[in-house]
Amino acid sequence: MSDTVKPAGKKSEEETPPTGVQLTSLDPEFQRDPAPVLERLRRLDPVHHDTVLNRYVLTRNADIDALLWDRSLSVDPRKASPGTFEANFISAAREGEQSMLLSDPPYHTRLRSLVIKAFSAKSITAMQPRVQEIVHGLLEAMDGPGGCDLIESFAGPLPTIVIAEMLGVDPADRADFKRWSDLAVMNFNPLLTPAERQEVAEAGAAFDAYFRAAITERKERPRDDLVTHLVTAEEKGDRLTEDEIVRMCGLLLAAGNVTTTDLIGNGMLALLRNPAELAKLQADPSLIKNAVEEMLRYDPPVTQTGRTPLSDIEIDGVTIAAGQSITPMLAAANRDPAAHPEPDRFDITRTDIQHLSFGGGVHFCVGAPLARMEAQTAVGALVKRFPAIRLVESPLEWRRVPGFRGLRRLPVHLR
Ligand code: HEM
């Protein structure tokens, strides 16, 4: 018997599909780089029954794409069977009606139609000059000898300032707003400790009180901001209640800030680790749009989402019962060789990028045009202003929120 033949019944570590916490950012290997772990899972068990976290994990691009467009599945955690992965989000989310991210049509359709205009391509194009100004202000403040932390000085503040201005938050309240924003994303973490849960709940209460006061104020003195827009929609006879407006503002904060920070952070890390790609972008700034799409594909800020089938379904021969949880791994879909040749190569001139980093179907990210515009403006200006930018060699530290991927710090030399 050749020594490459393994005895029957004894699997090598290579042959065991990763499962449970190994498929979350709480695991050091997954945290460092989810791609090889997800590649192994796709090869060994593309519709994987994770009995530890009680969910089915999908890793093929075609399966995930089809699932996101399938309107027979639900995003509402209250429809998930008790004890399944998606049911965890009931306690993490607020009680009663949910945000649009966690609700199904027709309620979802109504909420979405009231906010979508603010994020249309036209509205975003109109905001671009102001975003450019904010970017230049941040770059100005970073300049000087030595290095800086790109997350703290650049990728972190930019989306918070942008969304704060959209919502009409006074500059004096920015620090509070930034703290709420950092904690808001924790609402998506089903594995919080009691102390973390408490901290998130307190920040949520302070946020609610702030926006309830803002709504009262805008009713008396309308301004040109998103809170006024949502209030006006209510007053036109549409039924957005005060609770719904507050929930919407909270969702925009939770879904839009850390994710955009991470697009810029993960994207800059990929560029700095691939100097030939950075040089291509510096030589031809018109590549920025494609470069940001490749950043989204290569290292997406949102690595997974969740769905619950309302009747039994079959995927690739595996039957999944109604009420069970399905986790489409968006990060795995992007690296499926069936969708992108040489998927592990970061190439800003790659054509036909079909990433699923903003999801798909009726819940496709509302903020995608804003996130794209901010990242294109920020990265384009950063690599132009500091042509010699390079990584400071130090161990990278990633945040530990399952389903999200982003750096705590990204130290760079600017000159
Ligand atoms: C790079 C940055 C971003 C990424 C990677 C991202 C990713 C996603 C994904 C994957 C979904 C779909 C979730 C699902 O299907 O279950 C989603 C939905 C959503 N995103 Fe984003 N997002 C980003 C930026 C933003 C921004 C800037 C905003 C707004 C300020 C935003 C607001 C939303 C909202 C409101 C939803 C829910 C849409 C719905 O349920 O119909 N996102 N996002």
Side-chain angles (χ1 to χ4, degrees), residues 54-343:
N54 209 352
R55 59 183 182 165
Y56 289 81
V57 180
L58 307 186
T59 39
R60 282 188 181 151
N61 184 292
D63 291 340
I64 294 173
D65 199 16
L67 188 93
L68 293 173
W69 284 93
D70 186 341
R71 299 184 71 157
S72 74
L73 289 108
S74 174
V75 293
D76 186 340
R78 294 168 299 180
K79 309 249 173 81
S81 298
T84 58
F85 187 73
E86 288 302 303
N88 287 316
F89 291 93
I90 298 174
S91 53
R94 297 171 205 199
E95 308 217 327
E97 282 301 348
Q98 309 280 319
S99 74
M100 72 169 141
L101 183 67
L102 300 180
S103 50
D104 298 323
Y107 183 64
H108 167 264
T109 319
R110 188 183 134 245
L111 293 179
R112 187 168 168 117
S113 64
L114 284 161
V115 76
I116 195 85
K117 228 178 95 195
F119 294 92
S120 68
K122 197 167 151 226
S123 309
I124 300 307
T125 306
M127 285 167 60
Q128 208 267 343
R130 176 63 192 137
V131 169
Q132 194 132 25
E133 230 172 67
I134 299 169
V135 163
H136 282 129
L138 292 169
L139 291 176
E140 198 65 39
M142 275 157 61
D143 204 355
C148 80
D149 171 5
L150 269 191
I151 302 295
E152 188 190 1
S153 309
F154 191 62
L158 176 64
T160 317
I161 298 172
V162 172
I163 196 80
E165 288 194 1
M166 276 182 90
L167 288 169
V169 172
D170 291 327
D173 302 323
R174 284 255 175 83
D176 280 340
F177 190 74
K178 169 77 180 133
R179 206 174 60 80
W180 298 333
S181 157
D182 290 344
L183 287 168
V185 76
M186 301 293 266
N187 277 310
F188 296 127
N189 184 351
L191 311 171
L192 293 179
T193 64
E196 286 169 334
R197 205 173 285 280
Q198 176 72 17
E199 197 186 2
V200 171
E202 279 169 15
F207 174 89
D208 280 15
Y210 183 88
F211 277 93
R212 280 186 204 288
I215 291 166
T216 308
E217 203 255 339
R218 299 308 193 279
K219 280 181 179 162
E220 285 162 16
R221 280 183 295 281
R223 298 193 210 165
D224 183 17
D225 64 23
L226 191 50
V227 174
T228 307
H229 168 86
L230 295 171
V231 167
T232 317
E234 178 193 26
E235 286 181 352
K236 272 186 195 146
D238 210 328
R239 303 159 310 275
L240 261 198
T241 63
E242 183 175 305
D243 280 350
E244 286 171 336
I245 299 174
V246 172
R247 216 178 287 128
M248 181 77 81
C249 295
L251 173 64
L252 297 177
L253 201 64
N257 276 3
V258 176
T259 47
T260 308
T261 295
D262 295 342
L263 170 56
I264 298 170
N266 300 359
M268 278 309 300
L269 177 66
L271 263 189
L272 295 169
R273 280 177 164 173
N274 293 273
E277 299 306 300
L278 174 59
K280 273 192 225 167
L281 179 60
Q282 286 171 325
D284 180 2
S286 75
L287 287 172
I288 189 64
K289 279 195 176 162
N290 208 63
V292 167
E293 295 312 298
E294 177 67 345
M295 291 169 177
L296 281 159
R297 182 195 73 82
Y298 186 77
D299 202 355
V302 179
T303 51
Q304 72 186 44
T305 177
R307 294 290 185 272
T308 302
L310 300 179
S311 53
D312 296 2
I313 60 164
E314 197 195 297
I315 305 176
D316 288 346
V318 177
T319 300
I320 303 176
Q324 293 301 302
S325 293
I326 305 181
T327 301
M329 283 285 182
L330 306 173
N334 292 352
R335 297 281 191 113
D336 185 343
H340 299 105
E342 290 187 75

Side-chain angles (χ1 to χ4, degrees), residues 21 31 43 84 114 128 178 204 260 294 328 339 345 351 354 411 413:
V21 173
Q31 205 182 87
R43 194 161 37 78
T84 58
L114 284 161
Q128 208 267 343
K178 169 77 180 133
T260 308
E294 177 67 345
R345 194 163 52 85
T351 52
Q354 304 281 351
H413 295 293

Side-chain angles (χ1 to χ4, degrees), residues 14 18 23 29-30 32-43 335 344 405:
E14 172 65 12
L23 295 172
E29 191 188 344
F30 191 94
R32 208 165 29 249
D33 187 1
V37 183
L38 294 172
E39 190 277 327
R40 226 165 76 217
L41 187 61
R42 189 189 312 102
R43 194 161 37 78
R335 297 281 191 113
D344 298 327
R405 178 167 167 81

